[in-house]
Structure formats: structure tokens, C-alpha cells
Amino acid sequence: MDRSNARTVLAVDDEEAVLTLLTHQLSNLRCVFIPTSSAAEAIHILKTREVAVLLCDLNMPNIDGNTVLAVAREQNPNIVPIVISGNTDHNAIIRAVNEGGIWKYITKPWRRDEVVGLVGEAVAR
């Protein structure tokens, strides 16, 4: 697949198994997929690359997902942020909506067709 004009999708989650699953599930989408388990690396990528879609966990060690979402919005107001989290902390979700401008929230575990459909739609935006 020619990905020279493909949009970039960045996924950040401290669980490697989640990143591996996302990499597999999204492999057929027309996008450049960058997985990272480091919120600091995600922030660096957001500051140095054009990212169209951000998949982000809220509950991560050291730097939480809301910090990553805020940087993403600051760097690119048109980014499409999707939270993928098992976190049920309503205050964190409210912060994600208000500060990160999240487009969708997907709870872990998710259905494959749900995540593929949403990311495909987000890439098209």
C-alpha cells in the first residue's frame, strides 16, 4: 500500500499489549501508524510531526493522558483525539473533553470493528 500521502495516527498507551493489538487491528487502514508506550515520546512526536489522529490512554505513569491531549490540541487544533481507556475516573474524562477536546471515548476492552471504524472515520476527517 502506498502510504506517501497517508495521514499519521499516533497511539500512546503504557500497555505494550494494547499497542500490539492496535497495530494489528489498524494495519489495513490507509495511514501511517506510530505506536508508543511513552507519553514523553508522544509529546515529542506531536511537536515535531503532523499528526492527524491521536489515540491516547488517560491513565499512564509519570505523564498522564490529559497532558498529552492538551499538547496535541495546542500543536494542532484540527487533530482528532480519541481516548482509549479502561479508566472510569469521571473527572479525568471531563478534563479530557474540556482540555483535550476529545472526539470519541472508547472503553477497554473494545470491539475490533468499533475501533477500526472510528479510526477510519477520524483519518478521513
Side-chain angles (χ1 to χ4, degrees), residues 47-69:
K47 290 182 176 183
T48 58
R49 292 187 63 143
E50 186 175 327
V51 175
V53 179
L54 171 64
L55 299 170
C56 188
D57 186 12
L58 289 181
N59 190 17
M60 295 183 288
N62 302 321
I63 302 172
D64 74 0
N66 276 309
T67 301
V68 176
L69 288 163

Side-chain angles (χ1 to χ4, degrees), residues 1 7 11 26 34 48 54-57 60 64 72 77 84-85 91 94 98 101-102 106 109 115 119:
M1 175 186 303
R7 296 180 182 251
L26 301 176
I34 303 173
T48 58
L54 171 64
L55 299 170
C56 188
D57 186 12
M60 295 183 288
D64 74 0
I84 295 183
S85 186
N91 290 330
I94 291 168
N98 292 333
I102 64 169
I106 300 172
V115 78
V119 174

Side-chain angles (χ1 to χ4, degrees), residues 22-41:
L22 284 170
T23 300
H24 175 72
Q25 290 181 337
L26 301 176
S27 64
N28 290 330
L29 291 180
R30 182 175 165 78
C31 66
V32 174
F33 185 72
I34 303 173
T36 181
S37 60
S38 165
E41 182 181 19

